[in-house]
Amino acid sequence: VDAFQAWCGPCKTVVDLFRKVRNEVGSDLLHFAVAEVDSIDALKKYRGKCKPVFLFYAGGELVAIVRGVNAPLLQKTILEQL
């Protein structure tokens, strides 16, 4: 989940990375979403941050967090969580 604030929008720079990884691993295993933290109370602790935050869930549980746009770390985290 790309957790973003309304004033900065979702992180467009990692969309290509997400597409690449999804194509490599198959669409059944991996799902991407965006969430505006300003309108979701459960994500209020991510408000007021200017750095993008990527939340990784498995089985409904938060399993990893990557702060900032670090393509190698994002790809590594995605593959590790799969």
Side-chain angles (χ1 to χ4, degrees):
V1 177
D2 177 358
F4 69 94
Q5 293 185 97
W7 58 269
C8 65
C11 187
K12 294 177 178 118
T13 60
V14 296
V15 170
D16 289 337
L17 170 66
F18 289 163
R19 284 187 184 136
K20 177 184 175 246
V21 172
R22 187 172 177 162
N23 287 337
E24 290 174 0
V25 300
S27 61
D28 293 340
L29 298 175
L30 188 58
H31 302 279
F32 297 108
V34 294
E36 184 183 325
V37 299
D38 298 316
S39 60
I40 302 171
D41 287 338
L43 298 175
K44 68 182 175 185
K45 66 181 173 184
Y46 301 107
R47 295 176 188 162
K49 313 285 190 235
C50 63
K51 211 184 250 192
V53 177
F54 300 92
L55 309 173
F56 294 84
Y57 289 87
E61 298 292 324
L62 181 64
V63 295
I65 298 173
V66 173
R67 297 179 193 281
V69 179
N70 180 334
L73 180 57
L74 282 167
Q75 184 168 359
K76 178 182 178 212
T77 304
I78 291 167
L79 296 176
E80 284 176 350
Q81 294 304 318
L82 288 174

